[in-house]
Amino acid sequence: MQSAYLYLAIAIIAEVAATTALKASEQFTKPIPTLIVAIGYGTAFYMLTLVLRTLPVGVAYAIWSGLGIVLVGIAGAVVYKQVPDLPAIIGMGLIIAGVIVLNLYSKNVGH
């Protein structure tokens, strides 16, 4: 189970890096950001397949996408100065709360 969460963390980090690099790729015209996008998404999906050996697909995807949304929002603020407004911050907080509830209380997670 611990390795599943390690793989999930790697998948999330790779997906966030790839998504953040999408803007810098300028529609895949910049080679280095485009390479980051390809490697990042490839790594993310491969790691997610490893996670699915242990965690249910719905749980894994909820954690992956939820934390990915929040981290991409933070990356956008830091890298591109796209600071989210208050409703966006509240929404991201609710996403984090959902991931916490899922992990603490769902019987599907398999504590």
Side-chain angles (χ1 to χ4, degrees):
M1 181 67 79
Q2 290 175 337
S3 62
Y5 283 103
L6 173 63
Y7 297 149
L8 186 55
I10 294 168
I12 292 167
I13 291 166
E15 187 265 337
V16 169
T19 302
T20 303
L22 268 174
K23 180 170 176 57
S25 78
E26 296 182 16
Q27 295 77 46
F28 302 121
T29 61
K30 303 289 183 185
I32 300 299
T34 298
L35 187 61
I36 293 169
V37 170
I39 291 171
Y41 283 132
T43 300
F45 284 112
Y46 176 72
M47 288 292 142
L48 192 57
T49 66
L50 299 179
V51 172
L52 296 178
R53 292 178 180 169
T54 307
L55 293 178
V57 67
V59 171
Y61 189 72
I63 296 168
W64 182 57
S65 61
L67 293 179
I69 289 167
V70 172
L71 293 173
V72 167
I74 292 168
V78 171
V79 175
Y80 300 114
K81 309 297 185 238
Q82 299 172 337
V83 179
D85 59 10
L86 183 59
I89 292 169
I90 291 169
M92 288 182 201
L94 291 170
I95 290 169
I96 291 170
V99 170
I100 290 169
V101 167
L102 182 70
N103 277 288
L104 291 179
Y105 301 108
S106 174
K107 291 180 174 120
N108 288 327
V109 175
H111 299 282

